[in-house]
Amino acid sequence: MADIIKLLPDHVANQIAAGEVVQRPASVVKELLENAIDAGSTTIKLIIKDGGKTLIQVVDNGAGMSETDARLSFERHATSKISSAQDLFNLQTKGFRGEALASIAAIAHVDMQTRTADHEVGTHIKIEGSKIVSQEVVATPKGTSISVKNLFFNIPARRNFLKSDQVELRHITDEFHRVALVHPNIEFHFYNNGSEIFNLPIAKHRQRIAHIFGSKMDGRLVPVNEETEVVTISGFICKPEFAKKSRGEQFFFANNRFIKSPYLHHAVVAAFEGLIKSHVYPGYFLFLAVDPSSIDINIHPTKTEVKFDDENTLYAILRSTIKHSLGQFNVAPILDFDHDPNLDTPYSYKEKGAVLPKVTVDASFNPFEEATTKRNHSGSGFQKQSSRGWENLYEGLGHQSETDGFSSVVIESENDGQGTLYSEESVEEHLASTFQLRRKYVVSTVKSGMLVIHQSRAHERILFEKFLGEITVKEGVSQQLLFPLELTFSKQELTILKEIEESLTNIGFAFESLEEETVKVTGVPMMVPESGIGMVLDRLISDYSEGFADGSISQAEMLAKALSRNLAVRTGDVLDQESQLTLVNNLFACKEPTLSPFQKITYTIISEGDIDKKFN
């Protein structure tokens, strides 16, 4: 039988390794930044073009490499970080495998210039698909500059799987954050398509966090410090009131290396128990220092998954440390012996909602009429005005109007030829057939039985189609603010706002300026309350950055989804009968009334036969 096992050529082996090490442009950024840090750099520049597809360049002022080292660095398993297997249990550097540069050179055009301090000239190497094109002497500053161009040029299938430039840039920014946060003693510069995104000077950890996530973050941080025999914990957690619905401000660092640990994340969430809701995530920037021999980082090529010797003890220490910090800085609940129990809400009223007081007016009262004029004072003398003819109040406003108690549902006097569930009968008869169940469902009667509508999902569908139409036709109505509102955002949030500014303008937002960390809002859509502008924009940015990351839907659809989720009525909101009827009619005027924008059922019909079966 002929021999069938063969040794793979180096260029094939490098491409296989590249599949594990280099998954997208952000992977290249991570490897190059870590190499620059290991070289002892004090200043690092990251230059990106077209989401990293065209160019990824990292320039540092580190130790540099000699001519021989420069050539050898692109060979597989060639490294200066370790020399024996025992060194794996005492790692002090970011990299140690010796695979990164070889993998990157196998799937891209690499251009490297490097020089050490004791040499007057440096080395310039060009590599294309593992093949060295040229190597020559060059005049270059001390340190190393590596340019990675045309990523995946020889693997078109992998290149086709890359997302849009905005999505890839977001992943690159995330990797940049992970490296910059843990090294505040290094100056970082980040450029994208010629414009500067980050300029981070040397600072302390707290200042570095504020430089990255905006100055408003400084007031949200609570310091955490604990030193034990097992682990030394330092860093910051965000106050409970600033917990967000989406992830993004959760960072664990073990021995100055970013890690992902669901187990330790659970310890942090457990420490916040009772202070935050179940569906939100607290922010934290935690630095763990452990014995290098008690942690194994050689599990996955990305080196973000690690294994601790004693995770249970680490869990308990981390949880108690965060609880101690929350209590020490008075953000945890405390016993108040001066509390007046008479101000507590009785348990019998706990689930009851506030009743809107009804104001009545005696329309026949005239303070200037003669005393001889007789007025009928029998009974209360007050009469409720008929609600007929209310449409006249909204003439000239098109389809933009609102009704008491349900301001964000659009009232349409005509349904553009689309039918509703009801015939042309009196409004009062409809109102009598609609009621709210458990502040969650709107129940009405139809010919075939009983209609049960999920009020939140139904309103999401109504608002989604409304916003999608406004973004498309650019006819959103804006309510101008008497005094412009200034809001503070981080640079990353400001980048997202500039990206979606045109779509926001189409639905009614108006911005006077989008300066560094400051946004001046001069107008908002009709249904957005002035007090909730900041919260709506925060949630909108969060939902957009999280939902648009997969690039599977359009920007307009993503924005419409995010706005409908944040502005729709919630479960627990009380609706009056007119609002309930408006919700029913507007839902069935939608193009797709059966599903919410998030593909959940909005209503169900219980037939009369099903009800009869319950009594048989």
Side-chain angles (χ1 to χ4, degrees):
M1 181 178 178
D3 297 334
I4 59 174
I5 297 179
K6 299 177 181 178
L7 190 63
L8 289 175
D10 285 343
H11 69 279
V12 177
N14 286 339
Q15 286 193 5
I16 295 173
E20 296 180 348
V21 178
V22 184
Q23 300 171 352
R24 60 193 331 150
S27 305
V28 177
V29 171
K30 173 182 179 294
E31 299 293 344
L32 296 183
L33 288 178
E34 289 182 348
N35 283 345
I37 292 170
D38 288 340
S41 307
T42 58
T43 301
I44 298 176
K45 295 181 181 180
L46 172 63
I47 303 170
I48 301 296
K49 286 187 179 179
D50 302 330
K53 300 172 186 177
T54 303
L55 173 67
I56 301 171
Q57 184 177 5
V58 173
V59 183
D60 66 65
N61 63 347
M65 289 181 281
S66 65
E67 182 179 359
T68 304
D69 287 345
R71 181 71 175 261
L72 193 59
S73 64
F74 290 98
E75 299 295 329
R76 289 192 68 204
H77 306 305
T79 178
S80 61
K81 315 299 173 59
I82 61 175
S83 58
S84 66
Q86 190 62 30
D87 293 340
L88 291 173
F89 301 99
N90 190 27
L91 289 171
Q92 303 293 338
T93 57
K94 301 287 186 182
F96 55 89
R97 298 176 186 274
E99 289 184 324
L101 288 181
S103 299
I104 294 170
I107 55 173
H109 296 169
V110 178
D111 189 311
M112 182 173 74
Q113 297 183 27
T114 181
R115 180 176 74 84
T116 59
D118 54 353
H119 285 76
E120 294 183 357
V121 292
T123 305
H124 184 195
I125 297 179
K126 288 186 178 181
I127 300 179
E128 296 180 0
S130 294
K131 296 179 180 179
I132 297 180
V133 177
S134 65
Q135 178 176 344
E136 56 189 9
V137 176
V138 67
T140 182
K142 171 183 167 291
T144 304
S145 171
I146 298 183
S147 301
V148 179
K149 305 174 183 177
N150 303 323
L151 194 64
F152 299 126
F153 79 99
N154 52 354
I155 312 178
R158 290 288 299 276
R159 189 176 180 88
N160 292 336
F161 277 107
L162 295 179
K163 305 297 182 182
S164 64
D165 291 352
Q166 294 88 349
V167 174
E168 295 300 337
L169 177 62
R170 211 161 289 148
H171 285 284
I172 291 173
T173 306
D174 289 341
E175 291 293 347
F176 178 80
H177 287 170
R178 294 167 182 176
V179 174
L181 281 171
V182 77
H183 294 285
N185 58 328
I186 300 177
E187 182 181 343
F188 286 92
H189 300 269
F190 184 5
Y191 301 90
N192 176 53
N193 292 336
S195 60
E196 185 179 67
I197 298 181
F198 288 102
N199 183 353
L200 306 178
I202 296 175
K204 296 182 179 180
H205 275 128
R206 185 164 193 150
Q207 294 171 321
R208 177 57 58 90
I209 294 172
H211 287 154
I212 292 177
F213 293 98
S215 56
K216 64 179 179 180
M217 180 62 74
D218 187 48
R220 301 178 180 181
L221 299 178
V222 175
V224 176
N225 287 287
E226 187 66 43
E227 186 173 351
T228 67
E229 295 180 357
V230 179
V231 61
T232 299
I233 302 174
S234 61
F236 302 90
I237 53 176
C238 293
K239 295 177 182 178
E241 58 265 32
F242 298 107
K244 296 185 177 181
K245 287 186 175 181
S246 61
R247 302 176 186 268
E249 294 175 358
Q250 292 80 32
F251 294 89
F252 272 121
F253 301 95
N255 294 351
N256 288 340
R257 184 190 303 276
F258 174 79
I259 63 170
K260 294 179 181 178
S261 177
Y263 188 62
L264 295 183
H265 172 76
H266 188 273
V268 177
V269 175
F272 278 86
E273 185 177 2
L275 299 176
I276 61 175
K277 297 179 181 179
S278 59
H279 58 278
V280 297
Y281 303 96
Y284 53 82
F285 308 87
L286 297 174
F287 305 88
L288 313 178
V290 299
D291 185 357
S293 62
S294 66
I295 180 175
D296 184 8
I297 60 176
N298 192 21
I299 295 177
H300 193 272
T302 60
K303 298 187 283 288
T304 57
E305 298 178 15
V306 298
K307 198 74 175 176
F308 295 97
D309 281 352
D310 192 356
E311 284 190 328
N312 293 334
T313 302
L314 199 59
Y315 181 100
I317 294 174
L318 182 61
R319 182 172 177 268
S320 61
T321 300
I322 294 176
K323 276 200 167 187
H324 176 70
S325 294
L326 289 171
Q328 185 178 5
F329 290 89
N330 297 324
V331 294
I334 58 174
L335 291 175
D336 185 4
F337 295 101
D338 297 328
H339 179 68
D340 187 358
N342 295 324
L343 299 178
D344 290 337
T345 303
Y347 282 105
S348 58
Y349 287 84
K350 185 179 179 182
E351 300 296 332
K352 292 186 178 181
V355 179
L356 187 68
K358 296 183 178 179
V359 179
T360 55
V361 178
D362 183 4
S364 62
F365 176 72
N366 184 359
F368 301 104
E369 68 180 346
E370 296 181 3
T372 56
T373 304
K374 295 182 179 180
R375 296 203 318 261
N376 180 16
H377 293 281
S378 61
S380 64
F382 303 139
Q383 294 183 353
K384 182 178 179 181
Q385 297 298 321
S386 172
S387 60
R388 299 177 183 276
W390 57 268
E391 298 94 337
N392 297 331
L393 296 174
Y394 300 97
E395 287 183 356
L397 294 182
H399 293 283
Q400 302 288 338
S401 57
E402 46 186 51
T403 184
D404 241 353
F406 196 43
S407 60
S408 46
V409 171
V410 183
I411 295 178
E412 299 188 13
S413 58
E414 296 181 4
N415 287 328
D416 300 329
Q418 301 185 42
T420 68
L421 291 178
Y422 301 98
S423 57
E424 295 296 331
E425 297 174 1
S426 66
V427 173
E428 286 78 4
E429 185 175 345
H430 286 323
L431 295 181
S433 64
T434 309
F435 67 93
Q436 192 177 19
L437 177 65
R438 300 284 185 183
R439 301 185 191 175
K440 185 176 183 180
Y441 303 103
V442 173
V443 182
S444 183
T445 56
V446 291
K447 293 180 180 179
S448 58
M450 183 169 64
L451 173 70
V452 182
I453 298 176
H454 194 293
Q455 66 181 38
S456 180
R457 295 178 185 177
H459 199 203
E460 284 177 355
R461 166 52 63 178
I462 296 168
L463 292 180
F464 172 73
E465 295 197 2
K466 167 181 162 43
F467 286 127
L468 192 60
E470 289 180 350
I471 293 174
T472 304
V473 301
K474 304 179 181 181
E475 291 184 356
V477 176
S478 178
Q479 178 180 353
Q480 297 300 304
L481 301 178
L482 184 60
F483 300 102
L485 182 65
E486 289 191 0
L487 302 174
T488 304
F489 295 96
S490 66
K491 290 185 178 180
Q492 187 176 8
E493 292 171 337
L494 204 60
T495 302
I496 296 176
L497 266 182
K498 290 179 180 178
E499 186 179 329
I500 60 178
E501 180 183 3
E502 183 179 355
S503 297
L504 291 178
T505 303
N506 293 339
I507 60 177
F509 281 99
F511 302 101
E512 185 175 311
S513 63
L514 291 172
E515 299 176 358
E516 184 176 353
E517 295 190 4
T518 302
V519 174
K520 188 174 288 187
V521 184
T522 58
V524 294
M526 295 292 289
M527 69 288 298
V528 178
E530 184 175 352
S531 59
I533 297 174
M535 182 180 64
V536 168
L537 285 177
D538 277 338
R539 290 178 178 175
L540 185 63
I541 292 171
S542 175
D543 289 344
Y544 179 81
S545 60
E546 186 178 90
F548 197 53
D550 58 0
S552 59
I553 58 178
S554 65
Q555 184 188 91
E557 187 176 349
M558 184 63 246
L559 278 176
K561 279 187 175 183
L563 282 168
S564 65
R565 176 193 293 175
N566 293 315
L567 295 177
V569 295
R570 309 288 183 188
T571 296
D573 290 349
V574 179
L575 308 180
D576 59 24
Q577 287 189 326
E578 290 189 18
S579 298
Q580 296 167 22
L581 181 63
T582 303
L583 178 68
V584 174
N585 284 335
N586 285 349
L587 175 63
F588 288 94
C590 292
K591 296 179 180 179
E592 182 57 60
T594 57
L595 295 174
S596 75
F598 306 96
Q599 303 304 308
K600 294 182 179 179
I601 297 176
T602 57
Y603 73 90
T604 184
I605 295 178
I606 303 175
S607 66
E608 186 176 350
D610 292 337
I611 298 175
D612 290 338
K613 289 179 182 178
K614 300 293 183 182
F615 293 92
N616 291 336

